[in-house]
Amino acid sequence: MTTTNETKTWIITGASSGLGLALAEAALAAGEHVIGTARRADRFDGLRARYGDRFLAVEHDVRDTGGAAAVVQRALEVFGRVDVLVNNAGAGQVGTAEEITDAALRAMLEQHLLGPAAYVRAVLPHLRERGSGAIVQMSSQGGRMSFPAVGSYSAGKFALEGWSEALAGEVAPFGIRVLIVEPSRFRTAFNAADVLHTARQSSVYDEVVGAVRANMAEADGVQEGDPARAARVIRDVLDAPDAPLRLPLGAEAVRNLTRVYRAALDDVGKWASVSGSADFPNMPPAVRAF
Protein backbone atom coordinates (compact mmCIF):
# COMPACT_ATOMS: atom_id res chain seq x y z
CA MET A 1 0.00 0.00 0.00
CA THR A 2 1.22 3.48 -0.81
CA THR A 3 0.51 6.43 1.47
CA THR A 4 0.42 10.16 0.96
CA ASN A 5 2.80 12.45 2.81
CA GLU A 6 -0.13 13.68 4.90
CA THR A 7 -1.38 10.28 6.10
CA LYS A 8 -0.07 9.37 9.55
CA THR A 9 0.73 5.81 10.50
CA TRP A 10 0.45 4.65 14.11
CA ILE A 11 1.80 1.56 15.85
CA ILE A 12 -0.30 0.91 18.95
CA THR A 13 0.50 -2.01 21.22
CA GLY A 14 -2.39 -3.48 23.15
CA ALA A 15 -4.80 -1.89 20.67
CA SER A 16 -7.66 -4.38 21.07
CA SER A 17 -9.11 -2.78 24.21
CA GLY A 18 -9.08 0.20 26.54
CA LEU A 19 -7.12 3.33 25.73
CA GLY A 20 -5.23 1.54 22.97
CA LEU A 21 -8.48 0.73 21.18
CA ALA A 22 -9.76 4.28 21.69
CA LEU A 23 -6.60 5.70 20.11
CA ALA A 24 -6.83 3.25 17.22
CA GLU A 25 -10.47 4.17 16.61
CA ALA A 26 -9.66 7.90 16.70
CA ALA A 27 -6.78 7.55 14.23
CA LEU A 28 -8.75 5.37 11.84
CA ALA A 29 -11.78 7.66 12.00
CA ALA A 30 -9.45 10.51 11.00
CA GLY A 31 -8.40 8.59 7.88
CA GLU A 32 -5.02 7.51 9.25
CA HIS A 33 -3.36 4.09 9.28
CA VAL A 34 -2.93 1.90 12.36
CA ILE A 35 -0.89 -1.21 13.11
CA GLY A 36 -2.42 -2.71 16.23
CA THR A 37 -0.90 -5.48 18.29
CA ALA A 38 -2.52 -7.87 20.73
CA ARG A 39 -1.84 -11.34 22.05
CA ARG A 40 -4.79 -12.60 19.96
CA ALA A 41 -5.30 -11.16 16.50
CA ASP A 42 -8.94 -12.32 16.35
CA ARG A 43 -9.78 -9.55 18.81
CA PHE A 44 -9.34 -7.13 15.90
CA ASP A 45 -12.07 -8.59 13.70
CA GLY A 46 -14.31 -5.57 14.28
CA LEU A 47 -11.66 -3.01 13.35
CA ARG A 48 -10.69 -4.96 10.25
CA ALA A 49 -14.30 -5.18 9.15
CA ARG A 50 -14.88 -1.44 9.57
CA TYR A 51 -11.62 -0.03 8.29
CA GLY A 52 -10.28 -2.60 5.84
CA ASP A 53 -6.70 -2.25 4.71
CA ARG A 54 -6.11 0.95 6.69
CA PHE A 55 -5.83 -1.27 9.75
CA LEU A 56 -3.20 -3.98 10.11
CA ALA A 57 -3.57 -6.50 12.94
CA VAL A 58 -0.43 -8.17 14.28
CA GLU A 59 -0.40 -10.87 16.93
CA HIS A 60 2.37 -10.05 19.37
CA ASP A 61 2.98 -10.24 23.11
CA VAL A 62 5.06 -7.22 24.15
CA ARG A 63 6.98 -9.43 26.56
CA ASP A 64 8.50 -11.05 23.45
CA THR A 65 11.05 -8.29 22.98
CA GLY A 66 12.68 -10.10 20.08
CA GLY A 67 9.48 -9.73 18.05
CA ALA A 68 9.18 -5.93 18.22
CA ALA A 69 11.49 -5.29 15.27
CA ALA A 70 9.40 -7.55 13.04
CA VAL A 71 6.26 -5.56 13.88
CA VAL A 72 7.97 -2.28 12.98
CA GLN A 73 9.36 -3.79 9.78
CA ARG A 74 5.89 -5.04 8.83
CA ALA A 75 4.50 -1.53 9.33
CA LEU A 76 7.15 -0.08 7.02
CA GLU A 77 6.51 -2.74 4.38
CA VAL A 78 2.75 -2.18 4.37
CA PHE A 79 2.42 1.56 4.96
CA GLY A 80 5.90 2.87 4.15
CA ARG A 81 6.29 4.94 7.29
CA VAL A 82 5.66 5.21 11.02
CA ASP A 83 4.73 8.53 12.59
CA VAL A 84 3.60 7.62 16.10
CA LEU A 85 4.50 4.70 18.34
CA VAL A 86 2.14 4.18 21.27
CA ASN A 87 3.44 1.78 23.92
CA ASN A 88 0.12 0.96 25.52
CA ALA A 89 0.07 -2.78 26.22
CA GLY A 90 0.17 -3.75 29.88
CA ALA A 91 -1.85 -4.94 32.84
CA GLY A 92 -2.43 -4.13 36.48
CA GLN A 93 -1.34 -6.21 39.43
CA VAL A 94 -2.37 -6.16 43.09
CA GLY A 95 -0.26 -7.62 45.87
CA THR A 96 2.07 -6.59 48.67
CA ALA A 97 5.83 -6.86 48.37
CA GLU A 98 5.76 -10.10 50.34
CA GLU A 99 2.96 -11.59 48.24
CA ILE A 100 4.39 -10.81 44.80
CA THR A 101 6.71 -13.49 43.45
CA ASP A 102 9.85 -12.88 41.38
CA ALA A 103 7.98 -14.08 38.30
CA ALA A 104 5.07 -11.70 38.91
CA LEU A 105 7.39 -8.74 39.48
CA ARG A 106 9.40 -9.62 36.41
CA ALA A 107 6.21 -9.76 34.32
CA MET A 108 5.42 -6.16 35.26
CA LEU A 109 8.90 -5.01 34.21
CA GLU A 110 8.72 -6.99 30.98
CA GLN A 111 5.36 -5.49 30.01
CA HIS A 112 5.91 -1.92 31.13
CA LEU A 113 9.63 -1.33 30.50
CA LEU A 114 11.39 -4.00 28.45
CA GLY A 115 8.60 -4.37 25.88
CA PRO A 116 8.28 -0.62 25.22
CA ALA A 117 12.07 -0.27 25.11
CA ALA A 118 12.28 -2.92 22.38
CA TYR A 119 9.70 -1.10 20.26
CA VAL A 120 11.50 2.21 20.73
CA ARG A 121 14.83 0.72 19.66
CA ALA A 122 13.19 -0.79 16.60
CA VAL A 123 11.43 2.38 15.41
CA LEU A 124 14.04 5.04 16.24
CA PRO A 125 16.27 4.55 13.17
CA HIS A 126 13.27 5.22 10.93
CA LEU A 127 12.11 8.25 12.93
CA ARG A 128 15.63 9.69 13.05
CA GLU A 129 16.02 9.30 9.30
CA ARG A 130 12.75 11.15 8.72
CA GLY A 131 13.54 13.79 11.34
CA SER A 132 10.10 13.64 12.91
CA GLY A 133 7.70 11.46 14.86
CA ALA A 134 6.34 10.86 18.32
CA ILE A 135 6.61 8.18 20.98
CA VAL A 136 3.70 7.95 23.41
CA GLN A 137 4.44 6.04 26.60
CA MET A 138 1.24 5.05 28.37
CA SER A 139 2.19 5.20 32.02
CA SER A 140 -0.17 5.89 34.91
CA GLN A 141 -0.63 8.19 37.85
CA GLY A 142 0.93 5.12 39.47
CA GLY A 143 4.10 5.96 37.57
CA ARG A 144 4.68 8.99 39.80
CA MET A 145 3.07 7.84 43.06
CA SER A 146 2.42 4.50 44.70
CA PHE A 147 0.54 3.00 47.60
CA PRO A 148 0.31 -0.38 49.38
CA ALA A 149 -0.52 -3.40 47.19
CA VAL A 150 0.37 -1.79 43.86
CA GLY A 151 4.15 -1.67 44.26
CA SER A 152 4.89 -4.18 41.50
CA TYR A 153 2.72 -2.32 39.00
CA SER A 154 4.25 1.02 39.96
CA ALA A 155 7.74 -0.47 39.72
CA GLY A 156 7.20 -1.04 36.01
CA LYS A 157 5.64 2.36 35.42
CA PHE A 158 8.23 4.25 37.51
CA ALA A 159 10.93 2.51 35.48
CA LEU A 160 9.21 3.40 32.20
CA GLU A 161 8.99 7.06 33.20
CA GLY A 162 12.63 7.36 34.24
CA TRP A 163 13.78 5.63 31.06
CA SER A 164 11.47 7.77 28.91
CA GLU A 165 12.60 11.05 30.49
CA ALA A 166 16.15 10.30 29.42
CA LEU A 167 14.89 9.14 26.01
CA ALA A 168 13.12 12.47 25.46
CA GLY A 169 16.38 14.37 25.82
CA GLU A 170 18.21 11.95 23.54
CA VAL A 171 15.78 12.15 20.63
CA ALA A 172 14.61 15.79 20.76
CA PRO A 173 17.53 16.98 18.58
CA PHE A 174 16.26 14.63 15.85
CA GLY A 175 12.79 16.18 15.82
CA ILE A 176 11.20 13.31 17.77
CA ARG A 177 8.78 14.02 20.62
CA VAL A 178 8.17 11.84 23.69
CA LEU A 179 4.89 12.09 25.59
CA ILE A 180 4.41 10.24 28.89
CA VAL A 181 0.69 9.85 29.60
CA GLU A 182 -0.36 9.36 33.23
CA PRO A 183 -4.02 8.30 33.36
CA SER A 184 -6.16 7.96 36.44
CA ARG A 185 -9.04 5.48 36.25
CA PHE A 186 -10.68 5.10 32.85
CA ARG A 187 -13.68 3.01 31.81
CA THR A 188 -11.64 0.12 30.42
CA ALA A 189 -11.23 -3.55 31.37
CA PHE A 190 -8.17 -2.72 33.51
CA ASN A 191 -10.03 -3.47 36.77
CA ALA A 192 -11.99 -6.46 35.45
CA ALA A 193 -11.62 -9.68 37.42
CA ASP A 194 -10.24 -11.60 34.43
CA VAL A 195 -7.73 -8.85 33.54
CA LEU A 196 -6.41 -7.42 36.82
CA HIS A 197 -3.75 -9.75 38.23
CA THR A 198 -4.02 -10.50 41.94
CA ALA A 199 -1.32 -12.21 43.97
CA ARG A 200 -2.09 -15.06 46.32
CA GLN A 201 -3.25 -13.18 49.39
CA SER A 202 -1.77 -13.46 52.83
CA SER A 203 -4.19 -12.84 55.69
CA VAL A 204 -1.37 -11.06 57.52
CA TYR A 205 -1.96 -8.04 55.28
CA ASP A 206 -5.77 -8.04 55.27
CA GLU A 207 -6.08 -5.06 57.59
CA VAL A 208 -3.34 -3.17 55.77
CA VAL A 209 -4.44 -3.57 52.15
CA GLY A 210 -7.89 -5.16 52.32
CA ALA A 211 -9.57 -1.88 51.41
CA VAL A 212 -7.19 -1.37 48.48
CA ARG A 213 -7.88 -4.84 47.11
CA ALA A 214 -11.62 -4.26 47.32
CA ASN A 215 -11.44 -0.79 45.82
CA MET A 216 -9.42 -1.98 42.83
CA ALA A 217 -12.02 -4.64 42.06
CA GLU A 218 -15.05 -2.44 42.75
CA ALA A 219 -13.85 0.21 40.29
CA ASP A 220 -14.63 -1.98 37.28
CA GLY A 221 -17.33 -0.37 35.16
CA VAL A 222 -17.68 2.82 37.21
CA GLN A 223 -14.39 4.56 36.41
CA GLU A 224 -14.86 8.28 35.73
CA GLY A 225 -12.48 8.47 32.75
CA ASP A 226 -13.85 8.30 29.18
CA PRO A 227 -11.40 6.49 26.82
CA ALA A 228 -12.76 8.25 23.71
CA ARG A 229 -12.28 11.68 25.28
CA ALA A 230 -8.81 10.61 26.46
CA ALA A 231 -7.83 9.64 22.92
CA ARG A 232 -8.89 13.07 21.64
CA VAL A 233 -6.86 14.78 24.38
CA ILE A 234 -3.74 12.76 23.56
CA ARG A 235 -4.07 13.54 19.84
CA ASP A 236 -4.53 17.24 20.54
CA VAL A 237 -1.55 17.41 22.89
CA LEU A 238 0.68 15.65 20.36
CA ASP A 239 -0.13 18.43 17.90
CA ALA A 240 0.58 21.20 20.40
CA PRO A 241 3.94 22.97 19.87
CA ASP A 242 4.36 23.39 23.65
CA ALA A 243 3.36 19.82 24.58
CA PRO A 244 4.60 18.71 28.02
CA LEU A 245 6.79 15.69 28.66
CA ARG A 246 4.23 14.35 31.13
CA LEU A 247 0.46 14.54 30.74
CA PRO A 248 -1.68 13.65 33.78
CA LEU A 249 -4.93 12.36 32.29
CA GLY A 250 -8.17 12.74 34.20
CA ALA A 251 -9.12 15.04 37.07
CA GLU A 252 -8.12 12.48 39.70
CA ALA A 253 -4.61 12.25 38.24
CA VAL A 254 -4.30 16.04 38.39
CA ARG A 255 -5.43 16.11 42.04
CA ASN A 256 -3.27 13.22 43.16
CA LEU A 257 -0.10 14.26 41.36
CA THR A 258 -0.47 17.87 42.53
CA ARG A 259 -0.66 16.61 46.11
CA VAL A 260 2.31 14.27 45.66
CA TYR A 261 4.53 16.89 44.02
CA ARG A 262 3.75 19.48 46.70
CA ALA A 263 4.48 17.04 49.51
CA ALA A 264 7.77 16.04 47.88
CA LEU A 265 8.83 19.67 47.47
CA ASP A 266 7.91 20.37 51.09
CA ASP A 267 10.15 17.49 52.20
CA VAL A 268 13.05 18.69 50.05
CA GLY A 269 12.79 22.16 51.58
CA LYS A 270 12.38 20.91 55.14
CA TRP A 271 15.47 18.72 54.98
CA ALA A 272 17.60 20.82 52.61
CA SER A 273 20.17 21.88 55.19
CA VAL A 274 20.55 18.34 56.49
CA SER A 275 20.96 17.01 52.96
CA GLY A 276 23.53 19.67 52.08
CA SER A 277 25.57 18.92 55.21
CA ALA A 278 26.71 15.63 53.60
CA ASP A 279 28.98 17.53 51.16
CA PHE A 280 32.60 18.50 51.74
CA PRO A 281 32.69 22.04 53.19
CA ASN A 282 33.06 25.02 50.84
CA MET A 283 32.77 23.01 47.64
CA PRO A 284 31.60 24.94 44.53
CA PRO A 285 28.35 23.79 42.92
CA ALA A 286 28.76 20.76 40.67
CA VAL A 287 28.99 21.36 36.93
CA ARG A 288 27.22 18.73 34.86
CA ALA A 289 26.30 18.18 31.24
CA PHE A 290 22.55 18.27 31.97
Side-chain angles (χ1 to χ4, degrees), residues 99 201-211 213:
E99 293 168 339
Q201 298 176 7
S202 168
S203 59
V204 171
Y205 288 98
D206 285 350
E207 291 188 10
V208 179
V209 299
R213 293 170 180 157

Side-chain angles (χ1 to χ4, degrees), residues 89-134:
Q93 185 162 263
V94 180
T96 66
E98 193 173 349
E99 293 168 339
I100 293 291
T101 65
D102 281 351
L105 179 58
R106 189 174 294 111
M108 290 291 99
L109 295 172
E110 289 172 346
Q111 291 181 72
H112 300 139
L113 174 64
L114 301 183
Y119 269 95
V120 168
R121 287 194 301 270
V123 80
L124 271 182
H126 172 69
L127 298 183
R128 279 192 292 99
E129 183 179 353
R130 291 187 53 237
S132 66

Side-chain angles (χ1 to χ4, degrees), residues 195-225:
V195 175
L196 182 64
H197 300 295
T198 302
R200 184 176 180 179
Q201 298 176 7
S202 168
S203 59
V204 171
Y205 288 98
D206 285 350
E207 291 188 10
V208 179
V209 299
V212 174
R213 293 170 180 157
N215 182 258
M216 292 289 284
E218 293 166 357
D220 186 39
V222 296
Q223 301 96 323
E224 61 270 35

Side-chain angles (χ1 to χ4, degrees), residues 6-12 15 19-36 47 51 54-55 83-84 86 228 231-232 234-235 238:
E6 293 77 27
T7 304
K8 286 184 180 179
T9 297
W10 298 61
I11 295 177
I12 305 175
L19 292 173
L21 175 59
L23 280 167
E25 292 268 18
L28 292 164
E32 297 164 348
H33 301 124
V34 173
I35 299 89
L47 287 179
Y51 297 104
R54 286 197 293 110
F55 177 75
D83 297 275
V84 185
V86 182
R232 290 196 293 270
I234 292 169
R235 288 174 60 86
L238 280 176

Side-chain angles (χ1 to χ4, degrees), residues 53-72:
D53 59 5
R54 286 197 293 110
F55 177 75
L56 174 65
V58 179
E59 194 166 282
H60 182 239
D61 184 334
V62 296
R63 294 174 297 181
D64 172 21
T65 55
V71 177
V72 173

